[in-house]
Amino acid sequence: MYARQRLYFDAIAHIPRIQLRLGHVVEHRSKLEGPIRNALRSTANGLGITPDELISEFDKNWKFYPDRQQKGVDTLITLDMVRLASRSAFEVAIVISGDRDLAEVIRTVQDYGIRVLIATPNRASVASEVLQLADDVIDITEDDIRKMLPDRPERIT
């Protein structure tokens, strides 16, 4: 799956005037693993079997995958926006994110005279402070996104 995603991200990165910022991925133990294993132990005790026996059988049929989160993207976006705004490299920033962490960078680049537009497929996912700060909000549809992006590779050969 990584190779497919990499091809897709590389295609986006090659679109003129698009800056793709990818952070790093952090893995955490699944939040469900502990509670499920505790429930299995309680169940085993209730059935009169050893918890290890039940958990061993469970592990033959189930695998917990780590929760993954991307970190550092907001920082990369912030650095780019402020650095480029200070050089008057652009007049309008179109941000496809509604993360509250971006509120301060929006204020900062607006101080440089930059207009900030928030593009979103779902206004409810945008922090209210970001909506208030934005010079405009653009509602984008799934069809709009497909038109902007290259075709996603079907298979890797």
Side-chain angles (χ1 to χ4, degrees):
M1 194 160 114
Y2 171 80
R4 261 181 77 142
Q5 288 176 341
R6 187 74 256 162
L7 283 174
Y8 188 61
F9 291 148
D10 288 346
I12 293 170
H14 284 90
I15 298 172
R17 297 183 306 226
I18 297 288
Q19 293 293 316
L20 179 66
R21 291 295 180 243
L22 301 174
H24 58 280
V25 176
V26 176
E27 290 187 355
H28 299 282
R29 181 176 158 191
S30 170
K31 293 177 184 173
L32 295 175
E33 186 172 352
I36 288 174
R37 290 196 182 280
N38 289 338
L40 288 170
R41 284 184 191 92
S42 295
T43 301
N45 289 330
L47 294 172
I49 60 176
T50 65
D52 289 343
E53 186 179 348
L54 183 59
I55 289 174
S56 175
E57 190 61 33
F58 176 81
D59 287 342
K60 290 177 188 175
N61 298 290
W62 184 263
K63 178 173 175 53
F64 287 100
Y65 292 96
D67 292 331
R68 294 184 176 108
Q69 290 183 313
Q70 191 172 42
K71 297 289 189 180
V73 176
D74 294 346
T75 302
L76 295 171
I77 292 170
T78 297
L79 289 169
D80 282 348
M81 287 179 66
V82 171
R83 180 176 43 84
L84 293 170
S86 71
R87 295 177 183 166
S88 300
F90 64 101
E91 296 174 8
V92 178
I94 302 173
V95 179
I96 306 176
S97 174
D99 194 324
R100 162 59 188 91
D101 292 343
L102 295 176
E104 222 33 67
V105 71
I106 291 170
R107 280 187 189 92
T108 301
V109 300
Q110 286 172 330
D111 287 345
Y112 283 103
I114 304 298
R115 290 187 62 229
V116 178
L117 311 179
I118 300 297
T120 181
N122 178 7
R123 285 185 190 224
S125 68
V126 180
S128 61
E129 186 175 3
V130 170
L131 287 173
Q132 292 167 7
L133 289 169
D135 294 300
D136 201 358
V137 179
I138 302 167
D139 295 305
I140 54 177
T141 66
E142 188 174 323
D143 192 47
D144 293 330
I145 294 170
R146 286 184 188 173
K147 289 176 186 174
M148 288 185 268
L149 301 176
D151 290 333
R152 190 173 194 146
E154 290 300 315
R155 320 175 17 156
I156 297 172
T157 55

